[in-house]
Amino acid sequence: MNTIGLTGWSDHPLITLEKSRKLENYSSYFPVVELDTSFYAIPPQKNISSWIEKTPDTFQFIPKAYKAMTQHKEWVEEFSSIDQMFEVFNQTFAPMLKENKIKAFLFQFPPYFDCTKQNVTYLRRVRKLMHDLPVAIEFRSQSWFTEQNKNKTLEFLRQLNFINVIVDQPQTPNNSVPTIPVSTNDSLSIYRLHGRNYGGWLGEDIKDWRSERTLYNYDKEELVDFSKTAKSLEKTSHEVCIIFNNNSGGHAASNALSLQEILGITFNNLSPRQLDLF
């Protein structure tokens, strides 16, 4: 089974019919969304309740782990311990878990989270503190996938029942990993598509990385290649969830709708042919 979604629901004018009902509009086209706001701050309970109420029963979220949980900042500024931080995060999302509206939690680690004994130990701690919840791991350090470490990394993810996040991104020297189309979880694979804007991803002479890093529009041939990879992953994972993050120029929604058509998914309410997506 293939499912397709985008990062966030606010910045997709192609599918936003009413500005005051962006999430409702979004959830009529896609069955899942990556929740980015939880990376910047653990959301208040009222937001969680609102998101549950505004989406269909079968709609699911992929919340990003709070940035201190992935070592993008120090946890000591807000919490008494790492354990407390994880406990607060898990309690916040308990209502979504109860309603089966969590597909997985995304732990996106920074480029300086290298393949070291210390960081392997931290990943074991993440598994312990996240209990048996579905957790997806995305690395940004190539050290995890060197020829020496690649198979060991994948086996380690399997042992902890982590989901290997497969990425499509420019192969910049200091903040990217290669595409490793290997499933490490029988239930779910996640395929994140960041675009192929090398200069934007490299970050040199970039004034606003948000407006440039994911500025890329996948063409039909590239989308067909993604469909082939997704179908291949179905042999080892029950579900393959494809998330488009190439939205600096607003291309994610049109690319996702096009891929739905290529894969024969009829979830969306708007015919891709009416949008002249190719």
Side-chain angles (χ1 to χ4, degrees), residues 194-223:
H194 298 295
R196 297 177 177 179
N197 182 353
Y198 185 91
W201 200 266
L202 188 65
E204 296 180 356
D205 301 320
I206 298 296
K207 296 181 179 179
D208 179 10
W209 69 270
R210 292 182 184 282
S211 66
E212 297 187 49
R213 173 176 284 188
T214 61
L215 181 59
Y216 191 81
N217 186 20
Y218 287 112
D219 62 30
K220 186 174 183 179
E221 183 178 352
E222 290 167 331
L223 294 174

Side-chain angles (χ1 to χ4, degrees), residues 146-158:
T146 63
E147 285 302 312
Q148 180 181 359
N149 292 335
K150 174 184 171 181
N151 290 335
K152 293 178 181 178
T153 295
L154 293 171
E155 183 56 31
F156 175 68
L157 295 177
R158 288 191 191 95

